[in-house]
Amino acid sequence: MRERVAAGLRLVARFAFGGLVLVSPVAWQTTLVERRIEPIYRGYTDFVFYASDLFALLTLGCWLLSLLAQPRPITRGVWFLTIPLAGLVVLSWLGVLTGIDPALTLYHSIRFTALFALYLFLVNESLTSSGARLAQWWLGVPLALAVIVQTLVALAQFFAQRSVGLGALGELKLNPNDTGTSIVRLGEARIMRAYGLTEHPNVLGGFLAFALLLLLGAYFGSARHARFLYLLPLALGAAALVLTFSRTANVAFVAGMLLLALMLWRNKFERSDQLRDLALAVAILFAAMAVPLLVNRQLVAQRAGENNSFVINPGEERSLQERDALAASAYRIFYGHALTGVGNGALTLAMFELDPAFRKEFYYQPAHLVLLDVAAELGVVGASFWLWLMVAPGLAVWTTRASVGASPW
């Protein structure tokens, strides 16, 4: 009976994890505690509950109950990920004592702890390492559904140049003429970037870049009769990725796709077996990205800096100046709190309260360099952990490239 109960709870946990993947980029949220501090955007100070939080709690709750029903050893995972991740959690909790807003840092520390528990769930349930067939189902299918939903909304928004009435699902109220809406400027025209159901086009772009790479892996790793189901989300997602006009996300996806193609080419067995399917996937992705690129080539050129658009275009010029100002402010905060940081989640509040040199024509927000944000919030040790986490997985892939390159998944 205990084994059957544990197996049932683990199954529910995996379904909940699929739901978590599906809603992970969705901006729907409810405010738990309102802590508005003018002029800081409320999302940086309020305590909120996202749709993904519900599925994360359900995933972790059922998994922990399954451990109680049928006790079993817990795998800690590879040391070069587990140790720095645990270090970040510990530093976050220490920040409750040393940070400038203990309540805000406590809220984010709870979230950090839940994310670390989710990491342990992934390691122990073999959703990302062994059990590739299982992982393709529990990751690939909800990711495919998430990409389809997000891209259909994003494409409708871009063509309509407004929100499409899905506020109940988390869609923001979007109008290219409103201050704060992310746009690409072409002359006097203000062209709204695609948001989907996320909080910003860069969030949608980042999600799509990672999701499409995982879907490509699932495409090649699936049985031939089933893999073609992934072509629709791949095509839709690639088109929507272009319309986010997120430079880094597009570059990251293309780089990842080239790396995957190189790995397939180097593997003689995979190359001969997958060549036709590789050509089909590349052709569909190329066509899906080429159409919006050609139709919106002037907008893409603006984002790429053509004809000195970074200087001549006031929107692009302001964006670059804002990035510099935010980075300078984050550095000043870090310089004054290098050892302990200002507390997890408290950077924007620190800019407002502790940095009189902040240029007031810009919005208070984190710098566009995550490593610098981590250094300002968690101190130099936290930044070291974060830097290690950025570098170590790449080194691990390189040192085990023979086995990693054996399968696209």
Side-chain angles (χ1 to χ4, degrees):
M1 176 63 72
R2 293 173 69 90
E3 290 179 0
R4 288 197 294 269
V5 170
L9 287 169
R10 294 175 72 185
L11 182 63
V12 174
R14 293 186 177 193
F15 273 109
F17 175 74
L20 170 60
V21 173
L22 177 62
V23 303
S24 59
V26 174
W28 182 92
Q29 59 187 260
T30 183
T31 302
L32 300 176
V33 179
E34 187 172 337
R35 307 172 73 249
R36 187 67 188 270
I37 302 174
E38 294 288 352
I40 303 174
Y41 172 59
R42 63 179 181 82
Y44 296 129
T45 54
D46 288 355
F47 300 165
V48 297
F49 188 84
Y50 292 91
S52 55
D53 292 338
L54 174 63
F55 288 97
L57 291 175
L58 184 59
T59 301
L60 294 175
C62 290
W63 180 57
L64 292 174
L65 287 174
S66 76
L67 291 174
L68 291 175
Q70 185 185 21
R72 53 193 182 274
I74 296 179
T75 302
R76 292 190 296 270
V78 292
W79 68 268
F80 61 82
L81 292 180
T82 303
I83 291 176
L85 285 173
L88 288 173
V89 174
V90 171
L91 289 173
S92 182
W93 281 99
L94 289 176
V96 177
L97 303 176
T98 61
I100 64 171
D101 188 337
L104 183 61
T105 299
L106 174 64
Y107 162 76
H108 284 287
S109 297
I110 293 172
R111 301 187 71 89
F112 253 40
T113 304
L115 286 170
F116 183 71
L118 188 63
Y119 162 75
L120 293 177
F121 164 78
L122 291 170
V123 169
N124 283 271
E125 293 302 306
S126 302
L127 293 176
T128 56
S129 52
S130 61
R133 291 289 180 193
L134 182 65
Q136 287 162 26
W137 280 105
W138 294 106
L139 282 174
V141 173
L143 265 181
L145 293 174
V147 168
I148 290 173
V149 171
Q150 293 291 336
T151 54
L152 289 177
V153 176
L155 294 172
Q157 290 169 343
F158 185 78
F159 290 122
Q161 282 297 291
R162 57 176 175 79
S163 51
V164 292
L166 297 176
L169 298 179
E171 184 189 27
L172 304 181
K173 293 182 179 179
L174 303 171
N175 186 325
N177 296 316
D178 291 344
T179 301
T181 302
S182 187
I183 59 141
V184 181
R185 190 186 298 271
L186 185 61
E188 296 299 319
R190 294 168 57 91
I191 310 300
M192 187 182 78
R193 299 163 63 189
Y195 276 73
L197 297 177
T198 71
E199 291 188 290
H200 194 275
N202 289 343
V203 175
L204 177 61
F207 166 75
L208 289 175
F210 282 101
L212 291 175
L213 290 174
L214 282 167
L215 290 179
L216 275 173
Y219 168 78
F220 289 111
S222 300
R224 179 152 288 169
H225 65 277
R227 66 177 52 174
F228 301 111
L229 296 174
Y230 287 109
L231 292 176
L232 176 62
L234 283 170
L236 289 174
L241 178 60
V242 173
L243 297 180
T244 64
F245 297 97
S246 175
R247 291 173 287 235
T248 307
N250 278 276
V251 170
F253 171 64
V254 173
M257 189 169 60
L258 291 175
L259 179 61
L260 179 60
L262 177 63
M263 293 167 69
L264 279 172
W265 183 258
R266 285 173 57 87
N267 189 312
K268 294 181 180 180
F269 174 78
E270 291 283 353
R271 180 175 65 191
S272 59
D273 190 51
Q274 309 273 18
L275 187 59
R276 185 184 66 181
D277 294 337
L278 173 62
L280 177 61
V282 169
I284 288 177
L285 287 168
F286 179 80
M289 298 185 79
V291 172
L293 275 172
L294 292 173
V295 172
N296 301 282
R297 56 187 178 276
Q298 290 180 295
L299 298 176
V300 174
Q302 286 286 325
R303 291 288 288 174
E306 186 178 272
N307 298 324
N308 293 321
S309 64
F310 290 162
V311 177
I312 298 173
N313 187 316
E316 292 293 342
E317 182 183 12
R318 175 183 169 83
S319 176
L320 293 175
Q321 291 177 353
E322 182 180 58
R323 288 173 183 239
D324 290 341
L326 292 171
S329 179
Y331 175 75
R332 288 191 293 268
I333 298 296
F334 166 66
Y335 186 77
H337 302 78
L339 184 60
T340 61
V342 295
N344 190 1
L347 178 57
T348 51
L349 186 61
M351 289 177 172
F352 174 63
E353 294 184 350
L354 305 179
D355 186 16
F358 186 91
R359 293 172 60 179
K360 299 302 191 292
E361 66 267 30
F362 299 124
Y363 294 107
Y364 291 101
Q365 58 183 300
H368 292 233
L369 180 61
V370 179
L371 181 60
L372 180 58
D373 296 332
V374 175
E377 292 191 350
L378 299 181
V380 66
V381 178
S384 300
F385 283 144
W386 191 275
L387 181 60
W388 172 261
L389 286 166
M390 293 172 66
V391 174
L395 295 176
V397 169
W398 175 256
T399 56
T400 59
R401 57 191 180 276
S403 60
V404 171
S407 168
W409 174 251

